[in-house]
Amino acid sequence: MTTPRKIIIDTDPGQDDAVAILLALASPEDMEVLGITAVAGNVPLPLTQKNARIICELAGKRDTKVFAGCDAPLKRKLVTAEHVHGKTGLDGPPMADPTMPLQSQHAVDFIIHTLRREPAKSVTLCPLGPLTNIATAFQRAPDIVERVQEIVLMGGAYFEVGNITPAAEFNIYVDPEAAEIVFKSDAPIVVMPLDMTHQALTTKPRIEAFRAMGTEAGRMVAAWTDFFERFDVAKYGSEGAPLHDPTVIAYLIRPDLFSGRYINVEIETKGEFTLGMTVADWWGVTDRAPNAMFIRTVDANGFFDLLAERIARL
Ligand code: RIB
Ligand code: CA
């Protein structure tokens, strides 16, 4: 029996972030969620911090600590994704406002204080949105970088190229300078890129499995994914949408469902057409030092079976 991994989820909910948070909160034997830190991304910060609290209440975990973090990228104007997630960021089902409190501490201070307080190498960071909070914490307190157990993040793409521009994935594109700080930090990084998440599609049978649970959480996940998928289906003609962010949490529970390579990943911060691109040296054509485990495959059926089994608990 392994002890549950201590994690901080950094997030910009986002329907797929919501499913990731539900999976984490439904898996206490695998992880202890020390806190959820909201960042501006899919929608502005006032909505991402509110959505994070709505999701915790849906999971029946009102005592989860939710913090508001950075409301804009380090050096750029915020780019949001209402075209994918809707105006609220959680469009799909009707939702009541949360009643659980937002923590008064800033998310960046929570990240710094937690990493300094907890034993070294005992806390995993799980960024599901732009890396602004993480990079700000690393800049403000460089001593915490070596105390991080692992960073398992959703972001980037190589074979699949971009989803917000022809070259860049959204989370990296929104704050490429933050991503550069994180990828150059020497912290152990696992990247869950579009190359893999695009194999984890919310097909009709998979969505129906959530609806058939007969629980509020199951109904909400089905309604969120029904809404969330319309963008990808229209764009890619795929059968369903890629459920990006829950792959981060699933990796912590069942790493055997995934495979990848430890390679060099650089972030483009200057390119006129390639800003925010993750330049992944998958084929080892440079002598640049590897800095990230870049995940390339997922057992999609195993992933959705895990999701359904855990979310049915809520
Ligand atoms: O590109 C997909 C990522 O951008 C996901 O994390 C989604 O929630 C958005 O943040
Ligand atoms: Ca996200």
Side-chain angles (χ1 to χ4, degrees), residues 72-78 173-177 269-270 275:
L74 295 183
K75 292 189 177 146
R76 296 173 187 275
K77 204 168 146 324
L78 177 64
Y173 177 74
V174 169
D175 198 341
E177 285 74 18
T269 57
K270 298 186 177 47
L275 180 69

Side-chain angles (χ1 to χ4, degrees), residues 69-228:
C70 299
D71 63 2
L74 295 183
K75 292 189 177 146
R76 296 173 187 275
K77 204 168 146 324
L78 177 64
V79 171
T80 51
E82 286 89 349
H83 60 291
V84 178
H85 299 274
K87 219 170 148 5
T88 70
L90 286 181
D91 280 23
M95 286 173 303
D97 284 348
T99 56
M100 66 180 273
L102 176 72
Q103 299 298 307
S104 56
Q105 186 180 31
H106 191 284
V108 171
D109 294 328
F110 169 73
I111 292 167
I112 294 170
H113 296 165
T114 302
L115 282 165
R116 285 179 172 161
R117 183 193 66 234
E118 296 294 331
K121 305 279 185 198
S122 70
V123 176
T124 294
L125 303 179
C126 300
L128 310 178
L131 291 164
T132 317
N133 285 344
I134 310 300
T136 304
F138 283 7
Q139 280 186 312
R140 215 182 280 171
D143 61 289
I144 66 172
V145 175
E146 63 183 11
R147 300 182 64 84
V148 174
Q149 178 177 28
E150 197 169 43
I151 299 175
V152 184
L153 65 89
M154 191 280 140
Y158 178 61
F159 297 95
E160 282 293 294
V161 284
N163 62 357
I164 187 75
T165 74
E169 177 279 327
F170 179 78
N171 287 340
I172 307 299
Y173 177 74
V174 169
D175 198 341
E177 285 74 18
E180 183 179 47
I181 288 166
V182 172
F183 277 78
K184 286 191 181 310
S185 71
D186 262 351
I189 297 175
V190 180
V191 181
M192 314 305 269
L194 298 181
D195 308 320
M196 176 273 295
T197 65
H198 280 193
Q199 299 163 31
L201 297 177
T202 58
T203 58
K204 285 283 164 266
R206 288 167 176 165
I207 296 181
E208 286 321 307
F210 289 116
R211 214 184 311 277
M213 288 176 188
T215 62
E216 180 63 1
R219 267 191 301 279
M220 292 293 271
V221 169
W224 280 329
T225 45
D226 275 342
F227 179 88
F228 171 70

